[in-house]
Amino acid sequence: MVFLSRIYTKSGDQGETGLGDGTRVAKDHPRVAAYGGVDELNAVLGLFLAHAPAGEHGELVRDIQNDLFDVGADLCVPEKAEPGPHPPLRVTAGQVTRLEAAIDRLNERLTPLRSFVLPGGSVAAAWCHLARTVCRRAERDAVTLGREETINPQVVIYLNRLSDLLFVLARVLNDDGKGDVLWVPGKTSTMMKEEG
């Protein structure tokens, strides 16, 4: 249970913060960077929900936001050989499976791509693309942490799958891919040759 009565504690004024198990680490520790990236991703999804038209995808994204708190809670409590009396919250394979089912359901509406998609299109799709890139960074931060310390492998899998889902959702929000802006390789270099 979470209970917050005070917002500032001054305990981090010297550049350290407390992990979920009470351990103190520097605020730029890879573990803090990893769950900080997840928090940033969650904030971008909040902006997406604020700008996206109300519709069928709102509940999916709100569930993902809830999952991201689970991911952050998982990352904020280091793995220990001896679990304590209260086992920490860990991301599960079932949460990943739910993302995969959503990807499959959404992707059925789309035609296969013949080029990469430029981030943009509708406002909602653009926010989705931004969330996707922040998700990829959070995934990289989790991988970096995993090289130094043991982490739950489901965290990286979840973030990897989530970035795929955000890409597919961005296409859906671009009129099921009809409004996608496609990459044209060498487009401006060809134009410059023709003008020169």
Side-chain angles (χ1 to χ4, degrees), residues 1-14:
M1 176 61 73
V2 175
F3 178 78
L4 298 173
S5 61
R6 292 181 62 197
I7 300 304
Y8 68 90
T9 63
K10 301 184 182 182
S11 62
D13 289 352
Q14 302 303 314

Side-chain angles (χ1 to χ4, degrees), residues 21 24 56 66 68 77 82 95 113 117 143 152-153 182:
D21 65 353
R24 302 288 296 173
E56 60 183 303
N66 199 82
L68 289 174
V77 179
E82 300 283 330
Q95 288 169 295
L113 282 168
V117 174
V143 168
N152 174 6
L182 300 181

Side-chain angles (χ1 to χ4, degrees), residues 11-12 15-44 65 67-79 89-91 134-135 137-146 149 151 155-156 159:
S11 62
E16 288 190 344
T17 191
L19 299 179
D21 65 353
T23 306
R24 302 288 296 173
V25 296
K27 288 189 176 185
D28 61 352
H29 187 282
R31 185 170 295 279
V32 179
Y35 66 73
V38 171
D39 188 34
E40 182 182 354
L41 169 59
N42 212 337
V44 174
Q65 284 190 295
D67 280 353
L68 289 174
F69 264 84
D70 292 352
V71 173
D74 190 323
L75 286 168
C76 135
V77 179
E79 297 264 345
L89 182 62
R90 298 293 182 210
V91 175
V134 174
C135 186
R137 179 160 36 86
E139 179 188 1
R140 290 191 301 271
D141 289 343
V143 168
T144 298
L145 173 62
E149 299 182 19
I151 63 168
V155 165
V156 173
L159 293 171

Side-chain angles (χ1 to χ4, degrees), residues 77-104:
V77 179
E79 297 264 345
K80 293 192 174 169
E82 300 283 330
H86 305 289
L89 182 62
R90 298 293 182 210
V91 175
T92 67
Q95 288 169 295
V96 173
T97 301
R98 191 174 46 77
L99 292 183
E100 291 171 344
I103 292 168
D104 293 342

